[in-house]
Amino acid sequence: MKLEPPSNGETPALDVLVVGAGPAGLTAGMYLARYRRRVRIVHDGSSRTLWVPRSRNVPGFPDGIIGADLIARMSEHAVRYGAEIAEGRVVEIVRRENDGGFRARLEGGATIDARGLILATGVDTNLAKLDSGDHKTAVQSGVLRYCPICDGFEHSEERIAVLGSDLHGAAEAMFLRQYSSDVTLIPKWQVALTDAQRAELEASGVGVLEGRVLRLDAAGTTISVTLEDEAAPRRFDILYPAFGSTPRSELAAMLGPLTDPNGCLPFTAYSDGLLPGVYAAGDVVAGLDQISVATGQGAMAATRLHNWLREQEGHVMADQK
Ligand SMILES: Cc1cc2nc3c(=O)[nH]c(=O)nc-3n(C[C@H](O)[C@H](O)[C@H](O)COP(=O)(O)OP(=O)(O)OC[C@H]3O[C@@H](n4cnc5c(N)ncnc54)[C@H](O)[C@@H]3O)c2cc1C
């Protein structure tokens, strides 16, 4: 027996609202549609996968796949089985008092009611600012990179610069050292490393520059970095800014104190849920920010939420509860 929709004359509630149409949200939507749930995926068009020039670590695509093509395929897949996809920015989510479901409000004022929620809202990459050259073009051509795990392999033995000389930058430089013997760590403002950390980098063959960066210029197949007190710019084949990312967890925070000190949602959010009827998946969850991880968590969140809804509907064996 299915729960009755709200009897106040409003549009019947969806079974599930998924916020986010990246790999996590689209996988969750496709699974839920195949569980014959009424599901809508709402997104504001900013999946990070849309930035990926060509990903070569998505299983099943040995020659790589362009990020926008992957999103198009995943969207088609979800829609094929009955998921609705709509563009819009969700600005508020509240729990409905009368039936324990949720109400999302979109920019512009429209509302969506749903019995369950999946938050697959991703993160915002903290970007480097170029003084010349277009940022998007530099990412598409591969001179500006943001994810060593994703594409370090493609830059074996090239001249790699990592921008940001705190521990995060140092760790990223050390990671990239696996791919190239020419890795240089460049401070954004000043080097914030202990002597021991510097010695570790030196022993591993990672160069550390001291001067403050004055300019970043991307042109064609190289990127140049001009440092204070240096007349000529230094040229690199690739620059990885190591500025981290900012989780888009503001909607989750409206439902309760659910984020960790970094603004991430707990790692178990895709399996154990955040609250009854609320799951999260993908980059917004603490852990490894990767397409494969996002799809796996999307599948898990969808299945757990479907089972939770079945339990509400009395469609599980008593021993399963
Ligand atoms: C340059 C670059 C290259 C990368 N290359 C690779 C690679 O080769 N391999 C790999 O595995 N990973 C790669 N990644 C990482 C990969 O893109 C992410 O791990 C992946 O996109 C995470 O999926 P997600 O669904 O969690 O989030 P996202 O894909 O970022 O999707 C988040 C979704 O939430 C929506 N959203 C957020 N807030 C709201 C709101 N309030 N209202 C409505 N919609 C909202 C957005 O519109 C978007 O649809 C790369 C990332 C970058 C930046």
Side-chain angles (χ1 to χ4, degrees), residues 45-129:
S46 58
S47 164
R48 290 207 306 160
T49 294
L50 293 170
W51 287 41
V52 182
R54 179 174 288 273
S55 175
R56 290 189 163 81
N57 68 355
V58 177
F61 295 96
D63 297 323
I65 180 159
I66 294 168
D69 291 350
L70 182 64
I71 292 296
R73 280 174 179 242
M74 294 182 80
S75 302
E76 187 193 334
H77 194 166
V79 168
R80 171 92 57 98
Y81 289 99
E84 300 167 29
I85 302 182
E87 200 153 346
R89 188 166 156 66
V90 179
V91 292
E92 186 185 51
I93 295 185
V94 292
R95 196 178 265 282
R96 289 164 61 101
E97 292 294 318
N98 55 344
D99 59 4
F102 302 91
R103 173 161 291 180
R105 191 165 54 80
L106 305 186
E107 209 167 52
T111 58
I112 301 171
D113 290 337
R115 295 169 57 205
L117 275 180
I118 293 184
L119 300 172
T121 44
V123 300
D124 275 330
T125 309
N126 299 330
L127 302 180
K129 190 178 159 303

Side-chain angles (χ1 to χ4, degrees), residues 19-25 42-49 51-57 88-90 120-123 125 139 146-147 150-151 248 250-251 281-284 289-292 294:
V19 187
V42 175
H43 70 99
D44 67 4
S46 58
S47 164
R48 290 207 306 160
T49 294
W51 287 41
V52 182
R54 179 174 288 273
S55 175
R56 290 189 163 81
N57 68 355
R89 188 166 156 66
V90 179
T121 44
V123 300
T125 309
V139 171
Y146 282 95
C147 177
C150 308
D151 39 47
R248 298 185 71 181
E250 61 281 359
L251 297 176
D283 285 0
V284 72
D289 292 354
Q290 288 285 281
I291 292 167
S292 307

Side-chain angles (χ1 to χ4, degrees), residues 93-312:
I93 295 185
V94 292
R95 196 178 265 282
R96 289 164 61 101
E97 292 294 318
N98 55 344
D99 59 4
F102 302 91
R103 173 161 291 180
R105 191 165 54 80
L106 305 186
E107 209 167 52
T111 58
I112 301 171
D113 290 337
R115 295 169 57 205
L117 275 180
I118 293 184
L119 300 172
T121 44
V123 300
D124 275 330
T125 309
N126 299 330
L127 302 180
K129 190 178 159 303
L130 294 180
D131 294 281
S132 77
D134 176 56
H135 189 277
K136 191 172 173 192
T137 309
V139 171
Q140 289 303 312
S141 70
V143 293
L144 191 57
R145 296 286 206 186
Y146 282 95
C147 177
I149 292 174
C150 308
D151 39 47
F153 185 91
E154 273 60 56
H155 299 297
S156 298
E157 292 315 326
E158 292 186 4
R159 292 170 300 172
I160 301 177
V162 176
L163 184 59
S165 47
D166 53 4
L167 191 55
H168 178 62
E172 203 153 302
M174 196 78 111
F175 181 87
L176 283 159
R177 178 66 186 80
Q178 190 78 25
Y179 297 105
S180 172
S181 50
D182 192 343
V183 178
T184 307
L185 181 61
I186 303 175
K188 191 177 174 196
W189 303 111
Q190 58 182 27
V191 179
L193 296 172
T194 63
D195 288 348
Q197 288 164 344
R198 278 167 179 269
E200 239 182 296
L201 289 167
E202 201 179 323
S204 302
V206 172
V208 182
L209 299 181
E210 298 298 333
R212 189 164 69 92
V213 172
L214 294 183
R215 290 186 63 84
L216 288 180
D217 299 277
T221 55
T222 59
I223 189 153
S224 50
V225 182
T226 308
L227 296 174
E228 203 169 44
D229 301 329
E230 288 192 358
R234 291 174 184 252
R235 279 190 195 292
F236 296 93
D237 299 312
I238 315 102
L239 177 89
Y240 281 90
F243 301 164
S245 57
T246 309
R248 298 185 71 181
S249 52
E250 61 281 359
L251 297 176
M254 289 174 193
L255 295 170
L258 303 170
T259 60
D260 71 15
N262 299 320
C264 286
L265 297 175
F267 182 68
T268 51
Y270 67 90
S271 55
D272 299 348
L274 290 165
L275 295 168
V278 185
Y279 288 78
D283 285 0
V284 72
V285 169
L288 183 63
D289 292 354
Q290 288 285 281
I291 292 167
S292 307
V293 175
T295 56
Q297 292 183 351
M300 185 78 170
T303 305
R304 286 289 170 97
L305 182 51
H306 171 60
N307 287 340
W308 181 83
L309 289 167
R310 285 172 56 228
E311 202 175 315
Q312 307 296 300

